[in-house]
Short mmCIF file of all heavy atoms in Angstrom, two decimals:
data_model
loop_
_atom_site.label_atom_id
_atom_site.label_comp_id
_atom_site.label_asym_id
_atom_site.label_seq_id
_atom_site.Cartn_x
_atom_site.Cartn_y
_atom_site.Cartn_z
N SER A 240 -12.04 -17.42 1.22
CA SER A 240 -11.19 -16.22 1.21
C SER A 240 -11.67 -15.27 0.11
O SER A 240 -11.13 -15.19 -0.98
CB SER A 240 -9.73 -16.60 0.94
OG SER A 240 -8.91 -15.46 0.87
N THR A 241 -12.70 -14.48 0.44
CA THR A 241 -13.25 -13.54 -0.53
C THR A 241 -12.61 -12.15 -0.34
O THR A 241 -12.62 -11.35 -1.27
CB THR A 241 -14.76 -13.40 -0.34
OG1 THR A 241 -15.04 -13.06 1.04
CG2 THR A 241 -15.48 -14.66 -0.72
N SER A 242 -12.07 -11.85 0.83
CA SER A 242 -11.52 -10.52 1.11
C SER A 242 -10.16 -10.65 1.76
O SER A 242 -10.03 -10.65 2.99
CB SER A 242 -12.46 -9.73 2.04
OG SER A 242 -11.94 -8.46 2.29
N PRO A 243 -9.08 -10.76 0.96
CA PRO A 243 -7.76 -10.91 1.51
C PRO A 243 -7.35 -9.88 2.56
O PRO A 243 -6.82 -10.26 3.63
CB PRO A 243 -6.82 -10.84 0.29
CG PRO A 243 -7.67 -11.41 -0.80
CD PRO A 243 -9.06 -10.89 -0.52
N PRO A 244 -7.63 -8.55 2.37
CA PRO A 244 -7.17 -7.61 3.41
C PRO A 244 -7.83 -7.84 4.77
O PRO A 244 -7.16 -7.66 5.82
CB PRO A 244 -7.54 -6.25 2.84
CG PRO A 244 -8.49 -6.50 1.72
CD PRO A 244 -8.18 -7.87 1.21
N VAL A 245 -9.08 -8.27 4.79
CA VAL A 245 -9.74 -8.54 6.09
C VAL A 245 -9.09 -9.77 6.76
O VAL A 245 -8.80 -9.75 7.95
CB VAL A 245 -11.24 -8.76 5.89
CG1 VAL A 245 -11.90 -9.14 7.22
CG2 VAL A 245 -11.89 -7.51 5.33
N LEU A 246 -8.83 -10.80 5.96
CA LEU A 246 -8.24 -11.99 6.52
C LEU A 246 -6.78 -11.75 6.92
O LEU A 246 -6.31 -12.27 7.96
CB LEU A 246 -8.29 -13.13 5.47
CG LEU A 246 -7.82 -14.51 5.92
CD1 LEU A 246 -8.46 -14.96 7.22
CD2 LEU A 246 -8.13 -15.54 4.82
N ILE A 247 -6.07 -10.93 6.14
CA ILE A 247 -4.69 -10.56 6.51
C ILE A 247 -4.66 -9.87 7.87
O ILE A 247 -3.78 -10.13 8.72
CB ILE A 247 -4.06 -9.69 5.42
CG1 ILE A 247 -3.79 -10.50 4.17
CG2 ILE A 247 -2.77 -9.03 5.90
CD1 ILE A 247 -3.52 -9.65 2.95
N ALA A 248 -5.58 -8.96 8.10
CA ALA A 248 -5.66 -8.25 9.38
C ALA A 248 -5.86 -9.24 10.53
O ALA A 248 -5.24 -9.10 11.61
CB ALA A 248 -6.75 -7.21 9.34
N ALA A 249 -6.74 -10.18 10.32
CA ALA A 249 -6.99 -11.20 11.37
C ALA A 249 -5.77 -12.05 11.64
O ALA A 249 -5.45 -12.36 12.78
CB ALA A 249 -8.19 -12.06 10.96
N MET A 250 -5.08 -12.44 10.57
CA MET A 250 -3.86 -13.26 10.73
C MET A 250 -2.77 -12.46 11.42
O MET A 250 -2.02 -13.01 12.24
CB MET A 250 -3.39 -13.77 9.36
CG MET A 250 -4.33 -14.76 8.71
SD MET A 250 -3.61 -15.57 7.25
CE MET A 250 -3.30 -14.17 6.19
N ALA A 251 -2.64 -11.18 11.05
CA ALA A 251 -1.59 -10.37 11.65
C ALA A 251 -1.75 -10.23 13.15
O ALA A 251 -0.73 -10.17 13.89
CB ALA A 251 -1.59 -8.97 10.99
N ALA A 252 -2.98 -10.21 13.61
CA ALA A 252 -3.24 -10.10 15.04
C ALA A 252 -2.89 -11.37 15.79
O ALA A 252 -2.68 -11.32 17.00
CB ALA A 252 -4.71 -9.74 15.31
N GLU A 253 -2.75 -12.50 15.07
CA GLU A 253 -2.51 -13.77 15.72
C GLU A 253 -1.11 -14.35 15.47
O GLU A 253 -0.77 -15.40 15.94
CB GLU A 253 -3.53 -14.82 15.23
CG GLU A 253 -4.99 -14.49 15.54
CD GLU A 253 -5.31 -14.72 16.99
OE1 GLU A 253 -4.59 -15.50 17.67
OE2 GLU A 253 -6.26 -14.08 17.50
N THR A 254 -0.28 -13.61 14.70
CA THR A 254 1.07 -14.06 14.38
C THR A 254 2.09 -13.03 14.86
O THR A 254 1.72 -11.90 15.27
CB THR A 254 1.21 -14.28 12.87
OG1 THR A 254 0.82 -13.08 12.16
CG2 THR A 254 0.38 -15.43 12.41
#
Side-chain angles (χ1 to χ4, degrees):
S240 178
T241 54
S242 180
V245 176
L246 185 50
I247 290 166
M250 294 190 299
E253 297 286 337
T254 53

